[in-house]
Amino acid sequence: MENKSAYIVGLEEVDKTKLALVGGKGANLGELSGIEGLKVPAGFCITTEAYKEIVENNAEVRSLLAALTDLKVNDRGKISEVSGKIRAAIENIAIPKNVADEMAAYLAKFDKKDAFAVRSSATAEDLPTASFAGQQDTYLNVTGEEEVLLHISKCWASLFTDRAVTYRIQTAGSAVLFDHRKVRLSVIVQQMVFSDVAGIMFTADPISANRKVISIDASFGLGEALVSGLVNADNYKVLNGQVFEKKISNKKLSINVLAGGGTREQEIEIERQDKQALTDEQILELADIGRKIEARFGSPQDIEWCLAGGTFYVVQSRPITTLFPIPEANDAKNAVGCPHVYVSVGHQQMMTDAMKPLGLSFFLSLSPGRMCTAGGRLFVDVAKELASPVSRDIILNTTLGKSDPLSKDALLTILERKDFIEVLPAENPVGKDQTETADNPSQNAEKRSANPPIASKTATFQTDALEMTASVEVVNELIEWSEQLVEELKQRIQNKTGADLIDFILEDIQEWRKYLFDPRSYGILMAGINAMSWVNEKMNEWLGEKNAADTLSQSVPNNVTSEMGLALLDVADAIRPYPEVIAYLQNVKDENFLEALSPLNGGRETRAAIGAFLEKYGMRCAGEIDITRTRWAEKPATLIPVILGNIKNFTQHASIRKFEQGKQEALKKEQELLNRLRQLPDGEHKAKETKQRIDMIRNLVGYREYPKYGLVSRSFVYRTALLKEAERLVQAKVLHEKEDIYYLNLAELAQVIHSNELDHEIISQRKEDFKRFEKLTPPRVMTSDGEIITGRYKRENIPAGAIVGLAVSSGVIEGRARVILNMEDADIEEGDILVTTFTDPSWTPLFVSIKGLITEVGGIMTHGAVIAREYGLPAVVGVEHATKVIKDGQRIRVNGTEGWVEII
């Protein structure tokens, strides 16, 4: 019979729609109770309405909650003080007689000798996006009505333990639900199961994230021993109905119940300590239960279970919130049963942050059908290419594998398994569907470049013909063409509005692809890269000199990104003579600071200098491949700390000196190499060959940074037009704020413009999704099973304790580590070594001050590496977890020749 009480409800009456009434844990238990054949201990919930009535209406508690609202994570002392007072106040509130009587009626359904587990269930707990596991209290083996009532109050109070309050503060902003004054607590009272064995089961491997692997932890006694970390549990792994891995731990302690209530730690008999807690049959039975539960909730689950008298009981299930989503295959029609191998675009583009839907949409428009998304990131599926001997060799040894050894090693791990990728037999160098000839260079270049991170991954034709066309003249032609196209775009887009604007942008993107995938551009890029590889290989072979091309790459022409860093030194030169302006800039808070400069001595000169810089580089910003990111032109105050640092750390004309110094070092290295080569057998021929490659390096490698500059310049024009359209939609009350368009893809935005209607729930949900995605770490390589494959460096002769990475710019330097995660927070002194997750062109202004570079992400030809060589900075990239292992302020040594870092 259905219960009509507002304060107490049986678990059998609960499902996931009752979240607000019974909290996350209670709602999930209700769902579990509805699974046929699943044993869930009987019980009931004291609803959040009871909490609201009894706790929230208490004046003392309301006052203390107000004091808690504005506290930050670092206010530990104040959090502890206020939380303690809230807990004491709640525990002193008497539970009203009507609630106590209802609870007594429920308890009467059980035997008087029965014991209970009294568990907290918050409305911000065990949710699909945040588990909040273990933040509130649970009490086991509670006996008697009076004790149950007492522990209900304790559970309510546990909503305000120091750890629970701090956790919610850390998650602040991800949902209004987590506000201290909004989150409520239900209490679950369940019949106690006196378990022989208990543990946790993950229906996806928590280490590898493989969705096909079930991981089970098990130990003797109650599950609290395992949850509290008291014992090392057994671990069993199940795949396709087979136990394929077992780790049997030494289990010395268990937690067991006391006869009069409560629990105690107890030493396990010696002969049982190394015994397998579950039989193989029980492991497989439990795994089947896990798959049933996963099917019910529709996502991988973290399940608490116990075994008593040979029967399994489930006492909780929550979503695993830390798994990175699996990209959806583009060929969904044929995807069932087909393996997929996804490679991260962000790791190759040096931007691993989550992107908003509009940003993803633009990138996808440039490579239609070739990329897919997950967790706000872009991926490319390379499974078909790995199956083909020719394209596999290109990926592993020419493109991705050459620039990113960690991704290469991960792909090799997949190939070694034999059973995941079905390798095709050897084929002709040019397959039927891969025909590429000199007669069709444009189409070929587009096929190679359709996926920026893995250029030419499907290519099988030789690049010699394209490299022969590479020259300074072609570089200049391409740059001039790009600038002309951007200027034409600015004119053509001016009068476009509404649906016409979206149609125009989509059409223009396709026109832009012709430039982006121009075969001459590809030829220049490959010619420069191959020339560097040739010089490094031959100079090491002939002269025993490593990475000679690094020095030869300094101060090359046409590197628009390194020129940008030097240009900001020139801005500092313009401001340095004016102390009044410098003092003003040191205290700037307003984004309109440029307008206030004019009355100051030197203000006009400063405004002109910054304005000129923004005219050429204002379209840039951190994470610039995402069109939704705020640009320097829109927020010029972002540059002030760097400008002030340049004023402090350098003297006048530093940009000229730095460029000339790099140029002279490159010329000196060139002469040194050529002179040494002439002393060798066949030396004149070797020197001639080397001189040709050096000229190619000097003339062509600077262009490496230009295609992205052109892309960002063009997308800034799109962005400006779209934000104007968004303003119109705000005025028409279609959007709440113009930034809402960031959470729509281009097709959806076109529909909103056409209909003047928007489902704001979609925007709200996507904002929540984005905040969740921001917290996830994207993998370099993952499979369609969800498994994250991590690569390793295969290196020898690394100093003990050194951190290994990829050497990308030669030299050894010692200095102070500056761990910086956001360029706007940079406080760099000349001689510091920058340690960060990744750099893109927006970080270049910092490079003029630093003496070395370490990044967690990157490859031989990614931004940080290119600019480090240009400026002559020793650099090591691909150093995993560098920003956590290296502490800000530590003295470190960077060996950019061998590829390792030491903490001194």
Side-chain angles (χ1 to χ4, degrees):
M1 184 175 175
E2 187 178 354
N3 171 52
K4 299 298 183 182
S5 169
Y7 300 128
I8 298 181
V9 60
L11 285 178
E12 69 280 0
E13 302 172 58
V14 171
D15 59 27
K16 60 187 178 183
T17 66
K18 302 292 195 302
L19 170 67
L21 193 65
V22 298
K25 189 176 293 183
N28 289 351
L29 278 169
E31 285 288 331
L32 290 169
S33 299
I35 299 176
E36 186 176 352
L38 194 68
K39 297 285 187 180
V40 178
F44 56 90
C45 300
I46 313 295
T47 69
T48 54
E49 287 299 314
Y51 173 87
K52 178 182 177 182
E53 182 73 23
I54 298 166
V55 176
E56 289 186 4
N57 288 339
N58 181 277
E60 182 183 3
V61 173
R62 284 204 309 272
S63 174
L64 290 166
L65 283 174
L68 198 62
T69 301
D70 296 327
L71 297 182
K72 308 297 183 187
V73 172
N74 293 331
D75 301 326
R76 294 185 182 88
K78 195 66 176 174
I79 288 172
S80 181
E81 177 189 341
V82 176
S83 298
K85 290 178 180 179
I86 293 174
R87 292 195 302 274
I90 291 173
E91 289 187 37
N92 286 329
I93 300 172
I95 295 179
K97 186 175 183 302
N98 62 329
V99 178
D101 287 346
E102 281 191 42
M103 191 199 69
Y106 261 91
L107 290 176
K109 299 176 183 179
F110 298 92
D111 191 295
K112 288 186 178 181
K113 295 180 181 178
D114 282 343
F116 298 91
V118 183
R119 304 175 184 272
S120 305
S121 178
T123 51
E125 182 179 49
D126 294 347
L127 304 178
T129 57
S131 73
F132 286 80
Q135 298 305 314
Q136 284 82 46
D137 290 344
T138 289
Y139 300 95
L140 302 178
N141 199 29
V142 179
T143 58
E145 180 182 328
E146 187 175 327
E147 283 296 304
V148 171
L149 284 171
L150 172 64
H151 286 86
I152 288 170
S153 292
K154 286 181 176 290
C155 283
W156 283 336
S158 74
L159 191 58
F160 298 97
T161 60
D162 294 2
R163 69 175 183 273
V165 169
T166 302
Y167 192 96
R168 287 197 296 274
I169 292 173
Q170 287 174 329
T171 319
S174 64
V176 71
L177 193 65
F178 301 159
D179 189 318
H180 302 299
R181 293 169 295 185
K182 298 284 181 71
V183 69
R184 292 171 181 167
L185 193 82
S186 168
V187 179
I188 303 163
V189 180
Q190 274 183 293
Q191 190 174 12
M192 184 73 189
V193 176
F194 301 123
S195 57
D196 304 312
V197 183
I200 299 168
M201 169 169 53
F202 298 94
T203 63
D205 191 327
I207 305 301
S208 71
N210 192 329
R211 307 311 202 261
K212 291 186 176 180
V213 172
I214 288 180
S215 179
I216 298 171
D217 290 344
S219 190
F220 297 117
L222 301 179
E224 286 301 298
L226 192 154
V227 173
S228 62
L230 190 64
V231 296
N232 291 321
D234 289 354
N235 178 256
Y236 320 121
K237 292 191 176 181
V238 179
L239 174 65
N240 298 328
Q242 300 291 324
V243 180
F244 75 93
E245 185 178 308
K246 289 190 285 189
K247 176 188 173 186
I248 312 303
S249 297
N250 180 255
K251 302 170 284 294
K252 294 184 177 180
L253 295 173
S254 65
I255 292 180
N256 298 299
V257 297
L258 291 170
T263 62
R264 67 169 180 176
E265 293 180 14
Q266 189 173 345
E267 188 172 339
I268 297 172
E269 301 91 326
I270 293 176
E271 61 271 17
R272 294 179 66 218
Q273 289 180 2
D274 294 317
K275 184 179 179 182
Q276 187 171 318
L278 293 178
T279 66
D280 283 11
E281 291 77 11
Q282 289 171 331
I283 293 169
L284 294 178
E285 180 186 350
L286 185 57
D288 286 343
I289 291 171
R291 288 299 181 214
K292 283 184 181 179
I293 294 171
E294 181 182 68
R296 177 70 171 222
F297 287 99
S299 66
Q301 296 289 298
D302 168 359
I303 300 164
E304 296 177 25
W305 58 269
C306 55
L307 178 69
T311 299
F312 282 108
Y313 295 84
V314 176
V315 294
Q316 187 48 256
S317 185
R318 62 179 68 88
I320 306 175
T321 59
T322 56
L323 295 174
F324 196 89
I326 302 173
E328 291 187 13
N330 286 320
D331 59 338
K333 183 178 178 182
N334 301 311
V336 178
C338 296
H340 298 271
V341 179
Y342 300 105
V343 174
S344 166
V345 173
H347 283 80
Q348 312 310 314
Q349 287 290 330
M350 293 291 276
M351 214 293 276
T352 55
D353 290 349
M355 295 171 66
K356 298 182 181 74
L358 187 64
L360 293 170
S361 179
F362 264 96
F363 228 86
L364 291 171
S365 297
L366 281 170
S367 299
R370 302 300 302 167
M371 295 189 198
C372 48
T373 66
R377 276 80 171 189
L378 292 158
F379 293 86
V380 177
D381 182 8
V382 298
K384 290 181 179 178
E385 286 72 30
L386 289 177
S388 162
V390 174
S391 56
R392 179 172 66 250
D393 181 68
I394 292 171
I395 289 177
L396 295 177
N397 300 314
T398 303
T399 55
L400 180 64
K402 195 171 185 177
S403 65
D404 185 355
L406 292 178
S407 292
K408 176 179 179 178
D409 190 59
L411 294 176
L412 287 172
T413 298
I414 294 172
L415 289 167
E416 287 167 3
R417 293 179 177 177
K418 306 296 184 185
D419 60 345
F420 192 81
I421 296 291
E422 184 178 349
V423 178
L424 300 175
E427 58 193 16
N428 294 327
V430 179
K432 289 183 180 180
D433 62 344
Q434 296 174 318
T435 302
E436 302 195 49
T437 69
D439 295 332
N440 192 14
S442 181
Q443 180 181 346
N444 299 337
E446 182 165 341
K447 287 177 72 177
R448 283 190 305 275
S449 304
N451 300 294
I454 311 171
S456 79
K457 74 184 178 71
T458 58
T460 60
F461 105 141
Q462 297 179 351
T463 60
D464 293 353
L466 285 178
E467 289 183 35
M468 288 177 63
T469 67
S471 66
V472 177
E473 291 74 22
V474 174
V475 169
N476 291 333
E477 284 177 20
L478 288 169
I479 291 174
E480 184 179 342
W481 183 23
S482 173
E483 291 175 350
Q484 177 186 336
L485 289 173
V486 172
E487 289 305 314
E488 289 175 358
L489 172 63
K490 290 178 182 177
Q491 298 302 316
R492 291 188 296 118
I493 204 171
Q494 280 186 356
N495 298 319
K496 302 295 182 184
T497 60
D500 289 344
L501 173 63
I502 306 299
D503 292 340
F504 173 83
I505 289 174
L506 289 172
E507 291 171 6
D508 191 72
I509 287 174
Q510 300 313 308
E511 286 298 310
W512 177 245
R513 283 164 52 85
K514 295 177 182 177
Y515 171 84
L516 199 59
F517 302 130
D518 187 287
R520 295 176 301 165
S521 181
Y522 177 77
I524 290 166
L525 295 174
M526 290 309 300
I529 292 170
N530 290 338
M532 290 183 65
S533 296
W534 188 95
V535 167
N536 282 336
E537 180 184 337
K538 294 301 182 182
M539 296 309 100
N540 191 28
E541 176 186 340
W542 294 338
L543 302 176
E545 179 156 345
K546 289 186 175 181
N547 304 330
D550 292 355
T551 303
L552 297 169
S553 302
Q554 292 186 45
S555 298
V556 295
N558 292 315
N559 189 321
V560 68
T561 304
S562 63
E563 289 169 1
M564 178 178 68
L566 298 176
L568 210 55
L569 285 174
D570 294 338
V571 173
D573 284 354
I575 301 172
R576 191 176 287 110
Y578 303 107
E580 189 178 357
V581 171
I582 295 171
Y584 169 74
L585 293 177
Q586 287 170 338
N587 296 289
V588 161
K589 304 293 181 187
D590 187 356
E591 283 303 326
N592 297 318
F593 74 96
L594 288 172
E595 297 173 7
L597 280 169
S598 297
L600 304 179
N601 180 28
R604 291 184 179 180
E605 291 84 349
T606 298
R607 187 170 178 176
I610 294 176
F613 179 87
L614 293 175
E615 181 67 26
K616 184 167 185 179
Y617 303 109
M619 79 294 290
R620 313 214 84 154
C621 68
E624 62 188 11
I625 66 171
D626 183 355
I627 196 173
T628 70
R629 294 290 188 101
T630 302
R631 309 286 142 168
W632 288 343
E634 299 162 340
K635 191 180 179 183
T638 303
L639 296 170
I640 290 178
V642 183
I643 294 171
L644 291 173
N646 287 348
I647 291 171
K648 176 183 176 182
N649 296 330
F650 297 95
T651 56
Q652 295 294 98
H653 311 303
S655 67
I656 297 172
R657 290 195 301 273
K658 285 186 77 71
F659 186 83
E660 190 60 30
Q661 179 184 346
K663 184 177 178 181
Q664 291 305 315
E665 288 179 7
L667 291 173
K668 181 180 177 182
K669 174 60 67 175
E670 176 182 335
Q671 290 306 313
E672 174 198 325
L673 293 173
L674 296 178
N675 288 337
R676 291 173 63 191
L677 287 170
R678 292 187 180 106
Q679 309 303 313
L680 301 177
D682 197 24
E684 286 298 330
H685 178 69
K686 287 183 171 71
K688 182 179 179 180
E689 277 192 295
T690 302
K691 172 61 175 171
Q692 290 174 341
R693 297 316 196 286
I694 290 174
D695 287 348
M696 292 181 78
I697 291 172
R698 299 292 303 166
N699 291 330
L700 304 180
V701 296
Y703 179 75
R704 162 65 180 79
E705 291 291 301
Y706 200 87
K708 179 181 277 190
Y709 175 80
L711 177 64
V712 173
S713 298
R714 199 169 191 85
S715 64
F716 182 52
V717 179
Y718 299 150
R719 172 184 166 84
T720 303
L722 287 170
L723 285 176
K724 286 182 181 178
E725 187 63 26
E727 288 279 13
R728 184 193 69 77
L729 292 171
V730 170
Q731 293 170 6
K733 302 191 183 308
V734 177
L735 300 178
H736 292 324
E737 54 187 13
K738 63 182 181 180
E739 289 79 10
D740 285 348
I741 67 167
Y742 298 161
Y743 299 93
L744 299 169
N745 62 41
L746 280 169
E748 291 168 337
L749 180 56
Q751 180 59 36
V752 169
I753 291 172
H754 176 75
S755 65
N756 263 2
E757 294 180 354
L758 172 65
D759 183 352
H760 291 284
E761 283 299 314
I762 292 176
I763 303 298
S764 297
Q765 182 59 54
R766 288 183 181 173
K767 286 181 178 180
E768 292 305 312
D769 290 342
F770 179 73
K771 287 170 184 173
R772 177 164 51 91
F773 295 157
E774 282 185 301
K775 298 172 185 177
L776 298 176
T777 301
R780 275 183 167 83
V781 177
M782 73 185 304
T783 72
S784 46
D785 292 340
E787 184 178 5
I788 293 172
I789 312 294
T790 55
R792 295 181 179 180
Y793 291 107
K794 305 294 175 66
R795 305 271 288 284
E796 297 178 355
N797 302 320
I798 299 297
I803 310 165
V804 184
L806 178 64
V808 295
S809 185
S810 294
V812 179
I813 193 72
E814 294 181 10
R816 180 180 66 162
R818 294 315 311 263
V819 180
I820 299 171
L821 302 181
N822 187 334
M823 197 193 85
E824 295 180 38
D825 300 329
D827 181 14
I828 294 286
E829 299 284 343
E830 188 174 13
D832 285 344
I833 297 170
L834 175 62
V835 184
T836 189
T837 49
F838 61 83
T839 66
D840 62 10
S842 71
W843 288 72
T844 303
L846 295 182
F847 280 47
V848 298
S849 296
I850 62 175
K851 292 300 182 185
L853 173 70
I854 301 167
T855 66
E856 295 180 343
V857 175
I860 292 172
M861 292 305 294
T862 51
H863 165 266
V866 172
I867 304 304
R869 290 192 293 269
E870 168 84 9
Y871 286 167
L873 306 175
V876 181
V877 304
V879 182
E880 296 206 297
H881 313 298
T883 58
K884 297 180 177 64
V885 176
I886 300 170
K887 307 302 180 186
D888 187 57
Q890 283 183 324
R891 189 162 183 81
I892 60 175
R893 180 182 298 117
V894 178
N895 189 320
T897 305
E898 300 294 340
W900 46 260
V901 180
E902 288 182 296
I903 299 173
I904 303 173

